[in-house]
Structure formats: C-alpha cells, structure tokens
Amino acid sequence: MSVERFLEKVCLLFDLQLGSNLVGVYLHGSLAMGCFQPDKSDVDVLVIVKEKLCKEQKKNLIQDILTLEEYKLEMSILLENYLVNFLFPTPFELHYSQMHREKYLQDSDYLCGDSVDPDLAAHLVVTYERGICLHGKSVREVFHPIDPAFFIQAILFDIEDVVREIVHQPVYYILNLCRVLYYLSERVVSSKKEGGEWGKRKVINRYKPLVSQAMSRYLNEESEQEWDPVFLQEFAVYMVKEVSKWK
C-alpha cells in the first residue's frame, strides 16, 4: 500500500470515529518534510478535537488504529483549546505509537492519555512551520506560534540522556543533536536529514565522518562501518557543550 493510501485510511478512521468533534488531522515529521524512510520512519500525525473524548471513544479509536499495519503510525489527539491557550508541557487526550502497541494489544483497558508531554511543543512548532493538513481546517487556521523558549525546552528534553543513549540509537541521536544545534544557532526548524546535512558542514572535522556515517544509515545507503561506542559518547559530549553555548 502506498503511504498516500495509508494516510487516506488514517483520515477516514478519525473522521468516522470523531465526527463533528474533529477539527482536523495534520501531518508533521519526516513525511511532511520530505525525508520519510518507509522501513524506519514513523508517520507522525496530530489530531485536533473540539471536546474531550470519553473512555469508550478512546478505546474504539485504539482498536481501529491497531488494524493499521502497513506503516508505523504515531499520533496524539489534542484539544483545540490548548493550541489557542498554550500550556507547557502540553496536555493530550490520547497517544499511540509503536512503543505502546504491544501494551494496547495485550491490555484492552490500557490507554495512554489524559496526561502531558513536553515533546508536543516541538510537534506543534514543526506542524505550524512545516506541517500538512490531511483533513479539516488549514494548518494556519488551527495552529499558532508559541514562545520559542518552549520549543527549545522540548528539543533539549529529547537529548537529555544523549551521552548514555547514543550508543543504543546512534543514528537517531547523531542527527537529532545536529538539528538541535542547527535550530539554536540559526533558528531553522529542520528534519533529521536537514540537520545531518547541516552537521556535515558545521561540526569540527573530527566528527564530520561520524555525521556522514549516520546520514548514510538513515538514507539506507551502503555503510558497513561499525559504531565505536567511545567515539559516539565523545561526540555526544562535544555536541552537548556546543548546545550549552546557546542555551
């Protein structure tokens, strides 16, 4: 199935389940920014609603989402009010991602919702700057600029444990560090690919091959070189120091 057809299925699912409560369905992340990798990337979606959802609605939505197996959907449902009267960290009604899939499959009463998520500030900014309306009102009718300080808190939160975690997810953290520094130094909201391309030009020469290696892996190009855990952590420490100069 094409990703376009998958998005149509996603929109139909939310339209049928939410009806007149649905404000819109909005694409953000790699697919919106032109660097989607079908075998690796999530299909990132924000769903905006007018009124809170009841428990039964949430359960029905999750059961329908679990039938979507062609691509990895990551979605959060937010109340329209929190886009107008922004709060940080941002409350959400319901969340689904691959990380929660097994829990949803095993426990019919499990729901990830009625909570807050610091990452949503970053998703809201990316959607406002680079997002695509899949269904409903246009992006600029629904989303609004937020204080850059909240976006910075969100992207810094995402790299909080980078020195420890980079050895487990090197591509993710190398490219994320690059796009965080790209934003802090030049105020550009970028994808991982764009952040990596910037990093190949801007990091000191010692680490340029490491960023190039991460880019090759991200783009599914041939790369047999193994990761050196010590060098990865050295790079993370260097980048954290560079980031701290802009905080």
Side-chain angles (χ1 to χ4, degrees), residues 63-81:
Q63 290 309 306
D64 281 355
I65 288 169
L66 288 171
T67 69
L68 300 172
E69 298 180 339
E70 297 88 356
Y71 296 92
K72 294 179 290 185
L73 179 69
E74 179 166 340
M75 77 90 205
S76 293
I77 299 178
L78 287 74
L79 289 173
E80 185 177 24
N81 176 56

Side-chain angles (χ1 to χ4, degrees), residues 37-170:
Q37 304 296 315
D39 295 335
K40 302 175 184 176
S41 302
D42 294 326
V43 174
D44 298 299
V45 167
L46 292 180
V47 179
I48 310 303
V49 295
K50 300 170 190 174
E51 305 290 342
K52 291 183 70 65
L53 307 183
C54 68
K55 187 174 182 180
E56 197 62 30
Q57 283 179 302
K58 293 177 183 180
K59 284 187 171 185
N60 290 338
L61 278 165
I62 292 300
Q63 290 309 306
D64 281 355
I65 288 169
L66 288 171
T67 69
L68 300 172
E69 298 180 339
E70 297 88 356
Y71 296 92
K72 294 179 290 185
L73 179 69
E74 179 166 340
M75 77 90 205
S76 293
I77 299 178
L78 287 74
L79 289 173
E80 185 177 24
N81 176 56
Y82 293 123
L83 276 61
V84 178
N85 303 298
F86 179 74
L87 292 178
F88 183 86
T90 309
F92 63 94
E93 288 289 294
L94 184 65
H95 176 75
Y96 172 88
S97 68
Q98 289 298 114
M99 185 174 73
H100 295 271
R101 184 176 177 83
E102 284 306 313
K103 192 83 177 282
Y104 278 127
L105 285 168
Q106 293 169 11
D107 183 356
S108 60
D109 286 324
Y110 174 72
L111 289 171
C112 178
D114 291 322
S115 187
V116 295
D117 182 0
D119 279 345
L120 283 169
H123 300 334
L124 292 174
V125 170
V126 171
T127 305
Y128 180 79
E129 296 287 345
R130 310 279 300 269
I132 297 170
C133 174
L134 299 174
H135 179 85
K137 293 182 180 180
S138 70
V139 169
R140 293 302 173 97
E141 285 182 274
V142 178
F143 294 81
H144 308 279
I146 65 175
D147 187 331
F150 295 122
F151 179 64
I152 291 169
Q153 284 187 66
I155 60 179
L156 291 179
F157 175 78
D158 198 40
I159 60 167
E160 207 168 56
D161 299 318
V162 65
V163 177
R164 182 178 71 246
E165 294 298 325
I166 194 169
V167 297
H168 305 298
Q169 299 182 73

Side-chain angles (χ1 to χ4, degrees), residues 199-210:
K200 286 196 296 183
R201 299 191 306 271
K202 296 292 186 175
V203 302
I204 61 175
N205 288 337
R206 175 172 174 77
Y207 300 117
K208 286 180 179 179
L210 187 65

Side-chain angles (χ1 to χ4, degrees), residues 22-39:
L22 179 63
V23 174
V25 181
Y26 304 91
L27 184 70
H28 64 100
S30 60
L31 187 53
M33 293 191 280
C35 56
F36 182 69
Q37 304 296 315
D39 295 335

